[in-house]
Amino acid sequence: MKSLNKPLLSIAIVVVVAMMLALFAPMSIANTAPAVVTSSRSFPKNNVVRRNLLAESTSVTVEGDSSDRSRYTETLNVEKTKSTKELQAEQKAKEQAAQEEDEREQQAAASRSQERQSLSASSSLSSSSSSSSSSSSATKGTATGSAIAALATSYEGNAYVYGGETPNPGWDCSGFVKYIYAQFGITLPRVSGSQATVGTAVGSLAEAQPGDIVANGIHSGIYLGNGLIISALLPSLGTRITGTEVYTGAYSIRRVV
């Protein structure tokens, strides 16, 4: 009986050992196998805020505690960008203002010219009434270049009239020169081209003297000195003192007295 129990006990031990191996073998394999890590991440919900990128901020205010509000509060004023229509309106206003200013200047110049014309006409009428052809103070014997220049200057601002030869209603360029010299008893040709050939030629403007005639086939005037002449220019300008830039092309300088 004892000999029979020994084999049974051995078998039982083997079975128990086998069961233990069967139980612990997977656990040891699991412990030696590489670990598998599973992770998950959650992101906060992103709310997309759409902003009008074309709109400009006109003020920004940062506020802190009420006790330090005066310290931490700042307001930034941003000038709004001007639109194309606003810029065009400003440009149009500037152009209109400049045009109005030009018109005012032209009106003022016309008013001054009219005043000078009135004074010149009054002076001319007074001079005509106080003198006669037999007792004129401006005669050929007393004519000097400075006297001719002085008389010519007294008619500055007088009207321009094409074909005219008298202060009233007016004269053109050669009519003006002819009239001034006639007051000193000197008769000149009627047209500027012929006036450019009278008297004695003067070599250059540097040698010219007051009272000399400066003329070409288009224009004529009387030299005053310092590079200036007086002549009847245009209906819009009248009789004026200018430089020699009013001449087109070359001109002659002629001395009569």
Side-chain angles (χ1 to χ4, degrees):
M1 184 71 179
K2 290 181 181 180
S3 60
L4 182 62
N5 290 334
K6 287 182 180 181
L8 291 176
L9 181 60
S10 298
I11 293 172
I13 292 172
V14 171
V15 171
V16 171
V17 171
M19 291 178 64
M20 290 180 65
L21 291 174
L23 178 63
F24 289 106
M27 293 179 62
S28 61
I29 294 173
N31 290 332
T32 58
V36 177
V37 179
T38 303
S39 64
S40 63
R41 179 181 296 178
S42 61
F43 295 92
K45 185 177 181 181
N46 186 14
N47 294 324
V48 178
V49 179
R50 299 183 180 274
R51 300 180 62 185
N52 186 358
L53 299 180
L54 299 179
E56 292 187 277
S57 175
T58 57
S59 66
V60 178
T61 303
V62 181
E63 297 185 356
D65 296 336
S66 59
S67 60
D68 293 334
R69 184 168 298 174
S70 61
R71 179 180 177 185
Y72 293 104
T73 301
E74 180 181 8
T75 301
L76 302 177
N77 293 324
V78 181
E79 183 180 1
K80 186 178 180 181
T81 303
K82 296 179 181 178
S83 66
T84 303
K85 290 183 178 180
E86 290 174 336
L87 294 174
Q88 291 176 348
E90 288 185 0
Q91 182 65 23
K92 185 176 181 181
K94 291 179 180 179
E95 292 176 354
Q96 184 175 1
Q99 183 177 359
E100 292 175 352
E101 181 65 21
D102 290 341
E103 292 177 354
R104 285 194 295 269
E105 290 180 357
Q106 291 177 2
Q107 291 174 358
S111 177
R112 291 193 296 269
S113 178
Q114 290 176 356
E115 291 177 358
R116 287 195 297 266
Q117 290 176 14
S118 299
L119 292 174
S120 298
S122 298
S123 175
S124 175
L125 292 174
S126 176
S127 176
S128 298
S129 62
S130 62
S131 62
S132 63
S133 59
S134 60
S135 59
S136 175
S137 60
T139 62
K140 184 174 182 179
T142 60
T144 62
S146 59
I148 292 172
L151 180 61
T153 304
S154 68
Y155 288 104
E156 181 185 8
N158 204 68
Y160 178 99
V161 176
Y162 180 76
E165 299 180 16
T166 59
N168 189 15
W171 41 42
D172 56 18
C173 62
S174 57
F176 167 66
V177 175
K178 185 176 186 297
Y179 174 85
I180 295 300
Y181 272 84
Q183 305 313 299
F184 295 89
I186 302 173
T187 301
L188 293 179
R190 177 61 181 86
V191 296
S192 61
S194 297
Q195 291 175 358
T197 63
V198 299
T200 304
V202 178
S204 66
L205 195 65
E207 302 173 15
Q209 296 179 1
D212 289 347
I213 297 174
V214 183
N216 59 17
I218 300 174
H219 190 63
S220 64
I222 296 175
Y223 188 69
L224 302 178
N226 297 322
L228 300 176
I229 65 164
I230 183 168
S231 61
L233 295 171
L234 294 169
S236 60
L237 300 174
T239 305
R240 288 196 176 187
I241 297 174
T242 64
T244 57
E245 68 274 1
V246 296
Y247 290 89
T248 302
Y251 53 81
S252 296
I253 304 173
R254 312 298 294 189
R255 184 165 300 157
V256 179
V257 297

